[in-house]
Amino acid sequence: MALFTLHGLCYVIEWSMQGLLLKKMAGWEEVGIANFPGVISLAAGLLMWVTSLHPVRKRFFELFFYTHQLYVIFVVFLALHVGDFIFSISAGAIFLFMLDRFLRFWQSRAKVDIISAACRPCGTVELVFSKPASLRYNALSFIFIQVRELSFLQWHPFSVSSSPMDGRYHMSVLIKVLSTWTEKLRSIITDVQEQNRGDSELQCGRITACVEGPYGHESPYHLMYENLILVAGGIGISPFLAILSDIIHRIEEGKQCMPKNVLVLWSVKKSKELSLLSAVDAQTISSSVSDKLRLDIQAFVTQETQAPLEDGIGGDDQKVPGMFVKNGTTMSGLVGTGDNFWAAMYFLASTLGFLLAYALVQVYYVKPHNVVAWWYLGLLFMLCMAAGGLVVLLWHLSEKRRLEDDKWDAAASQSPRAEPQTAPAAGGDDDAPGVGLAALRTTRYGCRPDFEAEFAAFVERAGDAADVGVLVCGPQGLQASVARECRARNLRRGGGAGKSGRRAVFHFNSHSFDL
């Protein structure tokens, strides 16, 4: 945008010196550059650019979001401004973006069943969505959620809090109540619960949810390290609950699982937030798992100096369930199939469709009618790109037909109410009672985690030559503190070595994103 602005400014200065500013800016030549579409495109780009600046985006997010819909004006009028030949320089990237928009549009149109909803004691909302068995994701994925009763335009991203091994037909998220949108969502859920208290029939149609995703890391890099440190702040524990559940399930089922030593450092403001640990489906650790996994959960309550009197009394009994009537619709698997072959095939088919449409237009329309206007050729070029993107629609229709068949298989395999419950692990014949995650938690009040001391103690347990994966999800200040500690320990590797001849290496990974 800086180059575009400089480009336009130079012409404005030249036209002003010639006394032809308004005439030139309003010019729309048939052959050559059309100036007026360029003015419109630059104006739309400047509006998007200004509202993208961090202070504006942070304070006026909806202004930033709605202004960014001008990207359609920006791209279309850019094509009208420069014509098809010059526009083709950027056509590859714009075509990829167009295919992405087609994918997101068709996937997000489906209304997704909410299997269950709950308001936890700490004010956090848990939603469990229905998904097809073929949809693949990992514990580090996130989804965008729209609730039409709250807004037709707002889409909010949330980390997935369930492991892909928790169940074939469901996916859950934890939503911290922070703003107007989340407060209204909690109010709807609690209102449904109050209205249905004592009734056998459930309230219908109170939440209409649409889901886009899952997105995120293709490779579950939490499974790449034998020694793992998870650092979370507040609701940042949500993706780590999915990670813990994923690790526990893999060990129970005898699947390949690298993590053997896991340390969780969780900082919260109030002790009532600690109840989020109960959101993990695989919260019971059997003796067979504890023999293979050393799990240490350290919780730090920063705004309380001692444990409240009701500590250990509340918990799940305080959560408010809200069940919703379902219409048999699951989450779309358009972007979550995990099959790179079919993704490559649809991209190739879309590209061939675009090229074929462009060739037909050239042979049967442009040349026979002697079309020479640059702006019109640019418009035809854009229309051919859109025609190539229609391949996504055909894929969507075939995927929708397949989901219709899969939903009957899901209904036959288990009831929707029982779906979120974790089935007994294969080979889990250990009769000894398991240990809950809450029992593994050590809580400290009135302090923050001392990363230097915690990391040093972890290295003593893991060994001097350990490769340690560090995952952080939380505020920027927390990420910066952990990153500094990782960098300081890695830099000290050259100043001496441990007993094994080398020091531990810390690999920093951030799972936080800021819109």
Side-chain angles (χ1 to χ4, degrees):
M1 284 309 305
L3 292 175
F4 283 167
T5 304
L6 181 62
H7 164 78
L9 185 61
C10 289
Y11 276 102
V12 168
I13 294 174
E14 180 188 1
W15 295 335
S16 298
M17 294 174 64
Q18 295 174 354
L20 302 173
L21 178 61
L22 295 180
K23 180 180 179 180
K24 288 290 188 178
M25 289 182 63
W28 196 313
E29 294 79 3
E30 290 290 314
V31 179
I33 299 295
N35 294 331
F36 188 63
V39 173
I40 297 175
S41 179
L42 180 58
L46 286 173
L47 285 173
M48 290 191 292
W49 186 20
V50 171
T51 56
S52 297
L53 298 176
H54 187 267
V56 179
R57 186 177 73 248
K58 191 72 174 179
R59 295 185 58 187
F60 307 101
F61 178 79
E62 291 193 3
L63 175 64
F64 153 76
F65 178 80
Y66 295 136
T67 304
H68 246 67
Q69 308 314 307
L70 292 174
Y71 73 86
V72 178
I73 302 296
F74 177 80
V75 173
V76 171
F77 279 87
L78 176 62
L80 298 177
H81 173 56
V82 299
D84 60 334
F85 180 75
I86 300 178
F87 184 75
S88 64
I89 298 174
S90 59
I94 294 177
F95 186 62
L96 284 175
F97 176 76
M98 186 179 295
L99 293 182
D100 175 73
R101 296 307 302 180
F102 272 112
L103 277 171
R104 297 178 68 175
F105 174 76
W106 289 114
Q107 189 204 28
S108 61
R109 291 185 70 234
K111 300 176 182 178
V112 181
D113 287 341
I114 299 179
I115 298 176
S116 68
C119 293
R120 298 193 170 273
C122 58
T124 299
V125 174
E126 181 182 23
L127 297 179
V128 181
F129 296 100
S130 173
K131 79 170 188 69
S134 59
L135 187 144
R136 303 178 187 177
Y137 69 101
N138 62 53
L140 295 171
S141 299
F142 65 93
I143 59 176
F144 285 86
I145 299 176
Q146 177 205 54
V147 177
R148 296 188 177 180
E149 283 74 14
L150 304 181
S151 174
F152 269 90
L153 296 177
Q154 292 188 35
W155 290 82
H156 294 266
F158 299 100
S159 296
V160 174
S161 61
S162 61
S163 162
M165 302 184 69
D166 284 335
R168 296 182 62 197
Y169 300 104
H170 86 279
M171 174 190 294
S172 62
V173 296
L174 292 172
I175 302 173
K176 186 175 183 178
V177 178
L178 292 173
S179 59
T180 304
W181 189 89
T182 51
E183 288 175 354
K184 290 181 179 179
L185 176 63
R186 180 175 61 179
S187 298
I188 290 178
I189 295 173
T190 54
D191 289 347
V192 171
Q193 190 274 338
E194 291 296 331
Q195 293 177 10
N196 296 332
R197 191 181 299 276
D199 295 339
S200 58
E201 295 294 329
L202 298 175
Q203 185 74 14
C204 178
R206 294 303 303 272
I207 288 185
T208 306
C210 297
V211 175
E212 181 186 316
Y215 299 119
H217 302 276
E218 287 292 331
S219 59
Y221 57 77
H222 63 284
L223 299 176
M224 297 168 56
Y225 306 100
E226 183 174 335
N227 304 286
L228 195 61
I229 298 179
L230 309 177
V231 184
I235 194 61
I237 195 66
S238 178
F240 296 161
L241 296 179
I243 287 176
L244 293 177
S245 179
D246 195 38
I247 293 173
I248 293 170
H249 276 306
R250 286 178 176 276
I251 295 177
E252 286 180 336
E253 299 183 13
K255 294 187 177 180
Q256 183 178 4
C257 184
M258 284 286 291
K260 298 296 186 295
N261 301 304
V262 179
L263 170 64
V264 180
L265 302 176
W266 183 22
S267 179
V268 298
K269 294 181 179 180
K270 300 292 184 179
S271 57
K272 61 182 181 181
E273 298 180 51
L274 300 176
S275 64
L276 290 177
L277 280 180
S278 63
V280 181
D281 285 341
Q283 55 184 307
T284 300
I285 302 179
S286 62
S287 59
S288 61
V289 174
S290 59
D291 291 340
K292 301 178 181 178
L293 175 66
R294 183 172 183 175
L295 176 60
D296 183 15
I297 302 176
Q298 300 285 339
F300 300 83
V301 184
T302 60
Q303 295 186 3
E304 295 178 3
T305 57
Q306 58 183 1
L309 296 177
E310 67 273 13
D311 185 30
I313 299 176
D316 289 340
D317 294 337
Q318 300 180 19
K319 72 178 181 180
V320 182
M323 302 295 292
F324 299 86
V325 171
K326 291 160 282 298
N327 55 21
T329 304
T330 63
M331 195 181 305
S332 171
L334 267 182
V335 300
T337 59
D339 195 328
N340 291 329
F341 173 77
W342 287 112
M345 289 301 295
Y346 103 79
F347 166 70
L348 179 61
S350 300
T351 304
L352 293 177
F354 158 54
L355 296 176
L356 178 62
Y358 184 70
L360 292 176
V361 168
Q362 288 289 327
V363 173
Y364 293 102
Y365 182 73
V366 173
K367 292 183 178 180
H369 294 83
N370 194 27
V371 178
V372 294
W374 283 25
W375 68 268
Y376 190 45
L377 291 173
L379 178 61
L380 293 176
F381 193 86
M382 284 288 299
L383 293 176
C384 292
M385 293 172 66
L390 290 179
V391 173
V392 177
L393 172 59
L394 301 177
W395 187 24
H396 165 72
L397 295 176
S398 63
E399 193 259 354
K400 185 177 180 180
R401 188 179 302 109
R402 180 180 56 79
L403 288 182
E404 289 291 328
D405 298 332
D406 289 348
K407 77 177 182 179
W408 299 113
D409 298 336
S413 63
Q414 58 189 123
S415 66
R417 283 178 177 267
E419 212 292 311
Q421 304 299 324
T422 304
D429 53 356
D430 197 341
D431 294 332
V435 178
L437 289 182
L440 300 176
R441 187 191 74 221
T442 301
T443 307
R444 305 178 191 178
Y445 293 86
C447 63
R448 300 179 182 274
D450 183 350
F451 295 118
E452 183 177 0
E454 295 291 347
F455 280 32
F458 186 80
V459 171
E460 289 184 6
R461 296 195 303 268
D464 293 328
D467 274 348
V468 182
V470 181
L471 277 68
V472 186
C473 186
Q476 291 291 335
L478 179 67
Q479 297 180 54
S481 299
V482 176
R484 281 195 298 268
E485 181 61 28
C486 292
R487 182 171 61 247
R489 288 191 167 273
N490 289 338
L491 289 176
R492 286 201 296 267
R493 293 180 63 215
K499 298 178 181 179
S500 63
R502 55 185 289 261
R503 288 185 181 273
V505 181
F506 290 82
H507 304 269
F508 177 85
N509 299 276
S510 172
H511 190 60
S512 302
F513 55 94
D514 182 18
L515 294 180

